Structures are given as C-alpha cells and as structure tokens.
Amino acid sequence: MNLSELEYLSFVKKSIVHEEILARNKSQEIIIRTELSSIQVKLDSNKIQQVLNNLLSNAIKYSFPNTKIVIDISDNDDEILTKIIDQGQGIPAEELQKLFTPFQTTSVKATASEKSTGLGLAIVKKIIEAHHGKLKVESEVGKGSTFYFSLPKQIEINNTNLTI
C-alpha cells in the first residue's frame, strides 16, 4: 500500500465527482453530512477512493430515482467512521452474510438494469481490513441500507502487499 497523510473531508469530496454524475442521471442526490471541519488521516488514497466509489455506485445502482444518498463522516479519538446511507430497496437479512464473498450476489436487482459482478464488496472488505479498519452493513427491505467502515487515523503497515 502507498500510505500518505491527507485531509479526509476534502479527499471524500474530490473522490465522489464521478458518482455524483451517475446519481444525477437517476435524479439522486449525494449529501455529505459531518460536524467536522477537518480531519487528518493516513491511508492509501487510491485504495480508499476505490472503496468510496464502490459503495456509492452500489447505493446509486440499488436505489430508485429521486432519492438521497448520505455520506456521514464522524470520528472519535482513534478512528474515522464513514457511513454510506441509501434509501434503496434494502437487502434481505438472510442474504447479508454473503455480501462480502467474491462472486456472490443477492436477490436484489439494480433499479435501472445496471450490472454487478459480485466482486466489489469483497474487494472493499480486503482494502478496509488492510488498513486495519472494519466494514459492516445494516439493511432493511423496503427502507434501504447503510454500509459503514472505520479507519484508524494513524496506521503503520510494514511490508504489506495488497493484491486485488
């Protein structure tokens, strides 16, 4: 991994430009919600951008037009918590455990016939774990999903290779 120190809120804003275009095409709005004014973190910016892109593109893909997707960013002393909250279809509880397994898909279909390989969330999980973070999901059918990941503010990785 190629770690560098950066300001996380600015990084997130720059990282979601492409997804904002996709959201507008479905009349969706992406909102960043935080009480923070600035937060420094050490991470691999290319890998975490991949995480954000994947989670946001899924939120867009599985949500209906005219809905909102919220990126909620908070912190405590040691870590940053980022939540991607959608107003989508939700995922059946019995299917949640297979979300992060390669090539697994759920019964939930994209709202505009977008494609899914079943690889994105497995890759996201590997990236977050390589950063010593945690990835979780909460979902309710008919109400939407919240994918959230935590990242330590300071990370030291020695000789770690992340192959994806």
Side-chain angles (χ1 to χ4, degrees):
M1 290 199 309
N2 184 16
L3 298 177
S4 60
E5 183 122 357
L6 54 82
E7 200 288 309
Y8 189 67
L9 300 177
S10 297
F11 167 76
V12 170
K13 289 175 186 171
K14 289 177 191 170
S15 295
I16 67 170
V17 171
H18 181 258
E19 279 67 30
E20 287 178 315
I21 294 167
L22 296 175
R24 277 196 299 272
N25 289 339
K26 286 181 81 172
S27 298
Q28 297 167 333
E29 183 180 6
I30 298 175
I31 300 165
I32 297 176
R33 183 174 65 196
T34 186
E35 293 182 7
L36 305 170
S37 58
S38 176
I39 187 162
Q40 292 297 122
V41 65
K42 191 173 189 179
L43 49 75
D44 182 320
S45 60
N46 290 330
K47 300 292 186 207
I48 298 302
Q49 181 171 352
Q50 189 176 359
V51 166
L52 289 167
N53 292 347
N54 185 277
L55 294 177
L56 279 170
S57 68
N58 280 353
I60 293 164
K61 187 184 307 183
Y62 294 102
S63 293
F64 292 103
N66 302 308
T67 56
K68 291 181 174 132
I69 298 163
V70 175
I71 304 171
D72 185 282
I73 302 169
S74 59
D75 80 334
N76 64 29
D77 291 336
D78 300 324
E79 64 185 11
I80 299 167
L81 180 63
T82 304
K83 296 180 183 181
I84 310 295
I85 306 161
D86 69 43
Q87 298 173 327
Q89 304 168 70
I91 304 160
E94 64 274 8
E95 297 182 27
L96 290 175
Q97 74 278 359
K98 67 181 185 177
L99 280 177
F100 304 110
T101 305
F103 303 108
Q104 293 294 309
T105 57
T106 67
S107 62
V108 181
K109 302 299 177 212
T111 58
S113 300
E114 298 99 332
K115 302 293 181 211
S116 175
T117 62
L119 279 173
L121 291 175
I123 292 169
V124 163
K125 183 177 182 194
K126 281 185 174 269
I127 292 170
I128 296 300
E129 288 175 349
H131 280 81
H132 301 287
K134 296 179 186 98
L135 174 67
K136 296 183 182 176
V137 60
E138 295 174 356
S139 190
E140 186 177 342
V141 174
K143 302 259 181 180
S145 300
T146 299
F147 284 83
Y148 51 104
F149 62 93
S150 62
L151 295 171
K153 288 182 186 174
Q154 290 297 320
I155 182 171
E156 295 300 326
I157 299 177
N158 297 318
N159 299 322
T160 298
N161 292 319
L162 178 60
T163 305
I164 297 177

mmCIF file of all heavy atoms in Angstrom, residues 22-29 64-68:
data_model
loop_
_atom_site.group_PDB
_atom_site.id
_atom_site.type_symbol
_atom_site.label_atom_id
_atom_site.label_comp_id
_atom_site.label_asym_id
_atom_site.label_seq_id
_atom_site.Cartn_x
_atom_site.Cartn_y
_atom_site.Cartn_z
ATOM 1 N N LEU A 22 -23.330 10.066 -11.982
ATOM 2 C CA LEU A 22 -24.211 8.900 -12.096
ATOM 3 C C LEU A 22 -25.495 9.104 -11.294
ATOM 4 O O LEU A 22 -26.584 8.747 -11.750
ATOM 5 C CB LEU A 22 -23.492 7.641 -11.607
ATOM 6 C CG LEU A 22 -22.268 7.189 -12.400
ATOM 7 C CD1 LEU A 22 -21.593 6.007 -11.707
ATOM 8 C CD2 LEU A 22 -22.650 6.847 -13.825
ATOM 9 N N ALA A 23 -25.363 9.697 -10.108
ATOM 10 C CA ALA A 23 -26.539 9.943 -9.271
ATOM 11 C C ALA A 23 -27.485 10.939 -9.951
ATOM 12 O O ALA A 23 -28.706 10.739 -9.955
ATOM 13 C CB ALA A 23 -26.113 10.458 -7.893
ATOM 14 N N ARG A 24 -26.927 11.995 -10.514
ATOM 15 C CA ARG A 24 -27.775 12.981 -11.210
ATOM 16 C C ARG A 24 -28.532 12.346 -12.367
ATOM 17 O O ARG A 24 -29.675 12.710 -12.645
ATOM 18 C CB ARG A 24 -26.931 14.156 -11.700
ATOM 19 C CG ARG A 24 -26.688 15.202 -10.635
ATOM 20 C CD ARG A 24 -26.191 16.511 -11.223
ATOM 21 N NE ARG A 24 -24.924 16.388 -11.921
ATOM 22 C CZ ARG A 24 -23.723 16.500 -11.360
ATOM 23 N NH1 ARG A 24 -23.629 16.761 -10.075
ATOM 24 N NH2 ARG A 24 -22.631 16.384 -12.071
ATOM 25 N N ASN A 25 -27.902 11.388 -13.042
ATOM 26 C CA ASN A 25 -28.574 10.699 -14.144
ATOM 27 C C ASN A 25 -29.801 9.923 -13.674
ATOM 28 O O ASN A 25 -30.689 9.633 -14.467
ATOM 29 C CB ASN A 25 -27.607 9.751 -14.864
ATOM 30 C CG ASN A 25 -26.560 10.489 -15.663
ATOM 31 O OD1 ASN A 25 -26.740 11.659 -16.010
ATOM 32 N ND2 ASN A 25 -25.459 9.818 -15.944
ATOM 33 N N LYS A 26 -29.849 9.584 -12.392
ATOM 34 C CA LYS A 26 -31.009 8.899 -11.814
ATOM 35 C C LYS A 26 -31.812 9.838 -10.909
ATOM 36 O O LYS A 26 -32.625 9.390 -10.124
ATOM 37 C CB LYS A 26 -30.556 7.671 -11.025
ATOM 38 C CG LYS A 26 -30.123 6.517 -11.920
ATOM 39 C CD LYS A 26 -29.703 5.302 -11.130
ATOM 40 C CE LYS A 26 -30.890 4.489 -10.674
ATOM 41 N NZ LYS A 26 -30.478 3.198 -10.058
ATOM 42 N N SER A 27 -31.554 11.132 -11.015
ATOM 43 C CA SER A 27 -32.223 12.141 -10.181
ATOM 44 C C SER A 27 -32.041 11.859 -8.690
ATOM 45 O O SER A 27 -32.944 12.058 -7.886
ATOM 46 C CB SER A 27 -33.712 12.230 -10.534
ATOM 47 O OG SER A 27 -33.872 12.624 -11.874
ATOM 48 N N GLN A 28 -30.848 11.396 -8.336
ATOM 49 C CA GLN A 28 -30.499 11.152 -6.947
ATOM 50 C C GLN A 28 -29.556 12.250 -6.476
ATOM 51 O O GLN A 28 -28.858 12.866 -7.279
ATOM 52 C CB GLN A 28 -29.810 9.788 -6.802
ATOM 53 C CG GLN A 28 -30.701 8.625 -7.183
ATOM 54 C CD GLN A 28 -29.919 7.331 -7.340
ATOM 55 O OE1 GLN A 28 -28.732 7.332 -7.653
ATOM 56 N NE2 GLN A 28 -30.601 6.217 -7.129
ATOM 57 N N GLU A 29 -29.530 12.459 -5.182
ATOM 58 C CA GLU A 29 -28.671 13.480 -4.604
ATOM 59 C C GLU A 29 -27.723 12.829 -3.598
ATOM 60 O O GLU A 29 -28.145 12.017 -2.775
ATOM 61 C CB GLU A 29 -29.527 14.531 -3.897
ATOM 62 C CG GLU A 29 -28.751 15.674 -3.313
ATOM 63 C CD GLU A 29 -29.653 16.686 -2.613
ATOM 64 O OE1 GLU A 29 -30.864 16.455 -2.468
ATOM 65 O OE2 GLU A 29 -29.096 17.717 -2.191
ATOM 66 N N PHE A 64 -33.746 3.837 -5.985
ATOM 67 C CA PHE A 64 -34.660 4.344 -7.007
ATOM 68 C C PHE A 64 -34.360 5.804 -7.321
ATOM 69 O O PHE A 64 -33.719 6.498 -6.526
ATOM 70 C CB PHE A 64 -36.111 4.200 -6.521
ATOM 71 C CG PHE A 64 -36.545 2.747 -6.425
ATOM 72 C CD1 PHE A 64 -36.618 2.129 -5.194
ATOM 73 C CD2 PHE A 64 -36.844 2.034 -7.569
ATOM 74 C CE1 PHE A 64 -37.003 0.795 -5.108
ATOM 75 C CE2 PHE A 64 -37.231 0.701 -7.489
ATOM 76 C CZ PHE A 64 -37.311 0.074 -6.249
ATOM 77 N N PRO A 65 -34.816 6.276 -8.469
ATOM 78 C CA PRO A 65 -34.671 7.702 -8.784
ATOM 79 C C PRO A 65 -35.338 8.572 -7.717
ATOM 80 O O PRO A 65 -36.227 8.115 -6.987
ATOM 81 C CB PRO A 65 -35.393 7.840 -10.131
ATOM 82 C CG PRO A 65 -35.318 6.477 -10.736
ATOM 83 C CD PRO A 65 -35.423 5.524 -9.573
ATOM 84 N N ASN A 66 -34.886 9.820 -7.646
ATOM 85 C CA ASN A 66 -35.440 10.816 -6.716
ATOM 86 C C ASN A 66 -35.248 10.450 -5.249
ATOM 87 O O ASN A 66 -36.104 10.717 -4.419
ATOM 88 C CB ASN A 66 -36.920 11.066 -7.018
ATOM 89 C CG ASN A 66 -37.127 11.539 -8.438
ATOM 90 O OD1 ASN A 66 -36.488 12.493 -8.886
ATOM 91 N ND2 ASN A 66 -37.979 10.850 -9.169
ATOM 92 N N THR A 67 -34.112 9.829 -4.943
ATOM 93 C CA THR A 67 -33.787 9.502 -3.555
ATOM 94 C C THR A 67 -32.470 10.177 -3.179
ATOM 95 O O THR A 67 -31.778 10.730 -4.029
ATOM 96 C CB THR A 67 -33.673 7.977 -3.339
ATOM 97 O OG1 THR A 67 -32.703 7.450 -4.254
ATOM 98 C CG2 THR A 67 -35.006 7.285 -3.540
ATOM 99 N N LYS A 68 -32.138 10.107 -1.890
ATOM 100 C CA LYS A 68 -30.914 10.717 -1.379
ATOM 101 C C LYS A 68 -29.965 9.629 -0.893
ATOM 102 O O LYS A 68 -30.402 8.618 -0.340
ATOM 103 C CB LYS A 68 -31.231 11.654 -0.220
ATOM 104 C CG LYS A 68 -31.980 12.874 -0.643
ATOM 105 C CD LYS A 68 -32.251 13.781 0.530
ATOM 106 C CE LYS A 68 -32.858 14.999 0.040
ATOM 107 N NZ LYS A 68 -33.788 15.755 0.246
#
